[in-house]
Amino acid sequence: MILAVDVFYNSDNIAKIVGVLFENWDDPTPKETVIDYLENIAPYEPGSFYKRELPCILKLLSRITIEIDCIIIDGYVYLNDDNKKGLGTYLYDNLENKIPIIGVAKTSFHDNKNNVVEVFRGKSEKPLYISAIGIDKNQAAQCIKEMHGEFRFPSLLKQLDQETKKTL
């Protein structure tokens, strides 16, 4: 099973964590959606986003009892060409290097070219920035490219984003 996960933070310091589970890269709809909440979130710290997001993802993972083959996160695995750890690397390490992590980011970091593959989907002239650990970055990019949907953002990731932002 593949898990795509996203987190939304409200002004009351509560995080809504949503995961969509699906079997195949080209699935148009999830097999299951898992939702959880976490209070007293760490403040946002530039360059250390993982401190805020990682506990949320781990809480959601604790509720999932089926085997996960890959996890897609909204963000980066590495933050720059010097391999500064990003959320994806911290998650991979926390899972004892057993589950590949694919980072899908909508914006580029200026010093992050070697660890990223640009993926153009649909008719969009703006790429998604794909990074990975535990799986070759080019293979990860191909998986994201094959996801269902004719637009820049794959259908399941768009559904995930919409569900995450629904009222807490």
Side-chain angles (χ1 to χ4, degrees):
M1 220 28 116
I2 304 161
L3 170 69
V5 64
D6 197 8
V7 182
F8 179 77
Y9 305 93
N10 77 5
S11 58
D12 294 326
N13 203 25
I14 298 173
K16 179 181 182 184
I17 313 118
V18 180
V20 294
L21 292 156
F22 56 102
E23 292 182 27
N24 303 299
W25 290 104
D26 61 350
D27 285 352
T29 57
K31 297 288 181 201
E32 183 179 351
T33 299
V34 183
I35 300 172
D36 208 340
Y37 300 89
L38 188 62
E39 296 182 19
N40 301 316
I41 307 306
Y44 173 72
E45 188 178 326
S48 296
F49 182 60
Y50 74 93
K51 291 179 182 178
R52 183 177 176 109
E53 191 109 342
L54 184 61
C56 299
I57 295 172
L58 294 175
K59 183 162 193 274
L60 185 78
L61 283 171
S62 72
R63 297 200 42 223
I64 298 173
T65 57
I66 59 173
E67 184 177 334
I68 303 297
D69 299 313
C70 184
I71 299 173
I72 301 169
I73 61 164
D74 178 13
Y76 281 96
V77 171
Y78 295 104
L79 300 180
N80 62 25
D81 289 336
D82 293 327
N83 296 336
K84 180 179 179 183
K85 288 182 174 187
L87 172 62
T89 305
Y90 285 102
L91 178 59
Y92 186 70
D93 291 348
N94 202 279
L95 299 174
E96 300 175 349
N97 306 339
K98 293 180 181 173
I99 302 174
I101 309 296
I102 298 174
V104 178
K106 297 174 211 82
T107 57
S108 173
F109 285 173
H110 82 285
D111 187 27
N112 196 2
K113 304 295 180 213
N114 297 332
N115 292 312
V116 174
V117 176
E118 292 183 357
V119 168
F120 292 88
R121 290 178 39 91
K123 295 178 183 174
S124 178
E125 295 182 17
K126 289 182 69 176
L128 294 172
Y129 301 91
I130 310 303
S131 54
I133 190 167
I135 180 176
D136 177 76
K137 68 182 177 187
N138 293 305
Q139 181 183 354
Q142 187 60 38
C143 291
I144 300 302
K145 195 169 200 167
E146 290 174 4
M147 289 184 77
H148 180 270
E150 55 188 271
F151 301 107
R152 177 181 182 229
F153 218 50
S155 299
L156 282 175
L157 299 185
K158 184 171 180 69
Q159 290 173 36
L160 172 64
D161 183 64
Q162 290 170 343
E163 180 62 42
T164 306
K165 290 177 181 166
K166 283 183 183 175
T167 307
L168 291 177

